[in-house]
Amino acid sequence: MNYRNRLVFAIACLAAVLILAGCGGGGDGDVSSASSPTYPAPAVVYADAFPDDAAFNAHWATEDPTGGNASWAVVGGELSQTGHLEDNDLRDLTFDGLSSYHLGTYAYLVDPSISGSYRFSVSVLPKDNNAVDKTEGNDVGILFGYEDDDNYYRISMNARYGFTRFEKRSGGNFETIAVNARGYVDENWVSMAAEISGDTIVVWINGQPIFAWVDSAVLSGTVALYCQDRCRFDNVRITENPRQPTVAIASPLAYSVTPNNSFQAKAVVLSKPSGSSVAFSLDDGSEISATASGGYYLANFNGVADGEHEVTAVLRYADGTRADIDVNATVGTGGDYYVSVGDSITNGKYDEDPSNNDSADGRIVSIQGYQAPLVDALGTQTRPVIVFNEGIAGEDSTEMETRIVSILERHPGANQVLMLIGTNDSYGGGLPSATFADNVDDTADLIVDAGKQVWLAEILPTRDDDARNATIQQYNVEIQTIAGTVADVFLGPDLYTNFNSPSYYTDNLHPNDTGYGVIADQWYDKLH
């Protein structure tokens, strides 16, 4: 199913008591078998349809680590949050220190007390800002295993950057467990669910298992509802762990790309029946028996052809009949995994047409930027491509040098980084070009040391500011020098020369939709 069809599927799930039993099992297709036992529905620990503010305040408490203006209230039987907590005025507060991890507001459950193993589900409605606020498409999601502000798991979706992330915060430090490049669609309900069973965690989006993980230091705590922007929540449900067996693929993820032609398939099992087994197959081929290790079930696939593949995990009862199945489609091998870094121009600010920001292969679901058009231009059936959007509005070269470590941590499998930085450095007389060069050089070294190649784009000009453009030209000379002398650092597109029409801009700095198309075309000419 494509993304928007899955949203329709999610509505059907909600009508069936919101994925209480997984909304059809662990993957695509019929998972029943003649000898399958019948499993009782799990006991409900807590359910909340948010009847009024008094009931909400009796059970939930709210936090806003950004220091912004969060506003939680029950409206029409739904929990609503209307504060806009991510804009340029709050930019330094909506990131975790100097890392690239986002912060927002959340409401956490205090009564009843929840801890240990459980299943948690909720429906989420990201709201359109109706042009009232500066940016659209910010984080929505859930927390679970929430012990305190420094220790929890988080599932967050973002339409502006285009991602769904599974993250852990432990001792105040964030780490990314898994990420894809698929955001939400405004004004469409999304169902989210997470289950902790011992040390095993599975996450569902719209009834499909998306992420799975075994945590040797599993967190135990309550649940929370998270956002940075206008959003509504409904139908919170916490149950005991279901007894229905479930298999979920941990890797490779659906809609992923690996530059390699070999990978290890990993899956987890919830409520594993006695004597059952797990097997994998590739592209509907022969099943390979999985080996149990460290809470996972593993199988190796070597010499896989370049292109798109489908990975299937099957859980079978002791008699060989199928208990559950999970299928991850659009698994790319032998391709390129790009991460784009920079400021608001990389992020796609003021891209006024979201209709061309979902890539044709389904890997990117977003509302802005050049990344999806670039994937469409580069991608073929023989060399799949993904481009993650890690641009941060307002970023300068000094901040990038600091934040790049957290971005690289999030994308260990990437082989290429696309960098466009310097517009903000040129403001107000400009950072000295030698200092700018040191920042870019140091950042490039960190990327290369992480085993990736980096491409440095020449900065596009501003409109009607000759003094600032003179500074930008000095920066571009430094970029040319760095790219010409450092191994694995290559010169990207000359956006200064080729961004040569007022029709490409939405203001004096930022491209419009046409301009972002030009940036995609310029990157394509360098990379293909």
Side-chain angles (χ1 to χ4, degrees):
M1 290 181 288
N2 65 32
Y3 184 81
R4 286 169 174 79
N5 285 343
R6 288 192 179 195
L7 291 170
V8 175
F9 178 77
I11 295 171
C13 290
L14 293 173
V17 200
L18 234 141
I19 53 176
L20 175 63
C23 201
D28 298 334
D30 177 16
V31 300
S32 64
S33 68
S35 60
S36 295
T38 300
Y39 297 95
V44 177
V45 177
Y46 178 77
D48 200 335
F50 301 110
D52 53 45
D53 279 328
F56 168 67
N57 291 327
H59 292 278
W60 300 79
T62 62
E63 290 283 350
D64 180 12
T66 70
N69 187 26
S71 180
W72 293 90
V74 174
V75 179
E78 297 166 354
L79 179 61
S80 175
Q81 198 293 122
T82 55
H84 181 74
L85 304 176
E86 207 294 337
D87 59 29
N88 286 343
D89 297 330
L90 289 172
R91 185 177 68 90
D92 290 335
L93 298 175
T94 53
F95 288 92
D96 175 55
L98 292 176
S99 83
S100 60
Y101 285 93
H102 298 182
L103 294 177
T105 182
Y106 53 87
Y108 63 96
L109 184 66
V110 293
D111 181 24
S113 177
I114 303 293
S115 64
S117 295
Y118 54 82
R119 181 167 176 140
F120 164 45
S121 63
V122 65
S123 50
V124 185
L125 181 66
K127 297 291 291 180
D128 192 321
N129 284 336
N130 299 318
V132 173
D133 299 309
K134 296 179 181 178
T135 53
E136 293 272 4
N138 295 300
D139 284 13
V140 298
I142 58 174
L143 312 183
F144 55 98
Y146 175 85
E147 298 176 351
D148 53 44
D149 191 45
D150 289 328
N151 297 277
Y152 53 78
Y153 301 104
R154 183 171 71 185
I155 303 300
S156 56
M157 298 184 75
N158 187 296
R160 181 154 65 94
Y161 290 81
F163 67 69
T164 301
R165 293 180 186 165
F166 179 14
E167 300 162 323
K168 181 181 181 181
R169 193 175 197 190
S170 179
N173 299 313
F174 278 107
E175 64 173 309
T176 300
I177 297 164
V179 59
N180 65 32
R182 294 165 58 79
Y184 58 76
V185 179
D186 269 345
E187 303 295 338
N188 285 269
W189 285 98
V190 180
S191 62
M192 297 185 179
E195 182 174 343
I196 301 176
S197 181
D199 61 0
T200 302
I201 300 170
V202 177
V203 173
W204 291 261
I205 304 292
N206 293 337
Q208 299 293 310
I210 303 298
F211 304 128
W213 194 46
V214 176
D215 189 351
S216 61
V218 68
L219 299 175
S220 176
T222 189
V223 304
L225 312 172
Y226 161 75
C227 63
Q228 291 181 309
D229 218 330
R230 285 164 34 95
C231 185
R232 293 192 175 189
F233 299 89
D234 202 3
N235 298 316
V236 167
R237 193 173 183 88
I238 302 170
T239 72
E240 295 180 349
N241 296 103
R243 292 173 58 187
Q244 176 75 40
T246 297
V247 63
I249 297 173
S251 67
L253 297 180
Y255 301 103
S256 63
V257 172
T258 174
N260 303 313
N261 294 100
S262 299
F263 62 84
Q264 184 177 70
K266 300 169 64 176
V268 303
V269 175
L270 301 175
S271 301
K272 186 177 185 292
S274 177
S276 62
S277 61
V278 176
F280 289 95
S281 63
L282 181 67
D283 301 328
D284 292 325
S286 300
E287 290 186 359
I288 300 174
S289 296
T291 301
S293 178
Y296 291 103
Y297 294 85
L298 312 173
N300 294 318
F301 292 89
N302 300 312
V304 180
D306 292 353
E308 306 286 14
H309 302 280
E310 185 174 272
V311 177
T312 301
V314 179
L315 174 64
R316 297 193 180 279
Y317 291 109
D319 65 1
T321 57
R322 192 170 71 187
D324 195 29
I325 185 172
D326 188 21
V327 180
N328 278 3
T330 320
V331 174
T333 57
D336 283 305
Y337 180 156
Y338 294 96
V339 178
S340 59
V341 300
D343 51 35
S344 59
I345 297 172
T346 294
N347 187 240
K349 188 172 184 178
Y350 299 139
D351 180 351
E352 74 278 8
D353 181 6
S355 66
N356 60 356
N357 295 120
D358 295 358
S359 63
D361 60 13
R363 283 193 167 87
I364 297 177
V365 177
S366 184
I367 61 171
Q368 64 185 41
Y370 71 79
Q371 290 77 12
L374 178 57
V375 164
D376 287 345
L378 287 172
T380 69
Q381 289 301 303
T382 55
R383 276 192 65 78
V385 174
I386 193 167
V387 183
F388 278 89
N389 185 346
E390 291 281 1
I392 299 173
E395 194 87 322
D396 60 30
S397 64
T398 301
E399 292 171 318
M400 173 173 284
E401 182 182 349
T402 301
R403 295 196 210 265
I404 194 66
V405 174
S406 64
I407 294 172
L408 295 173
E409 177 267 333
R410 184 153 48 245
H411 300 281
N415 63 328
Q416 309 273 351
V417 174
L418 310 179
M419 185 190 302
L420 171 58
I421 195 69
T423 298
N424 294 312
D425 295 271
S426 69
Y427 179 74
L431 189 71
S433 59
T435 306
F436 172 79
D438 286 343
N439 291 343
V440 173
D441 192 21
D442 290 345
T443 303
D445 285 343
L446 290 169
I447 296 169
V448 172
D449 289 346
K452 309 173 197 314
Q453 295 180 334
V454 57
W455 298 77
L456 305 179
E458 296 183 57
I459 309 158
L460 58 156
T462 66
R463 293 184 60 202
D464 305 322
D465 191 335
D466 291 341
R468 191 168 182 179
N469 285 339
T471 300
I472 287 174
Q473 286 179 297
Q474 293 175 9
Y475 292 170
N476 284 338
V477 170
E478 300 290 355
I479 288 170
Q480 293 165 9
T481 301
I482 294 168
T485 57
V486 178
D488 286 324
V489 181
F490 303 99
L491 188 62
D494 179 1
L495 296 179
Y496 193 91
T497 300
N498 293 306
F499 223 77
N500 53 16
S501 171
S503 65
Y504 297 161
Y505 289 85
T506 193
D507 59 15
N508 285 339
L509 293 177
H510 298 93
N512 55 22
D513 183 70
T514 300
Y516 285 113
V518 171
I519 292 176
D521 290 341
Q522 291 294 308
W523 274 117
Y524 172 78
D525 289 343
K526 277 289 181 179
L527 299 173
H528 82 283

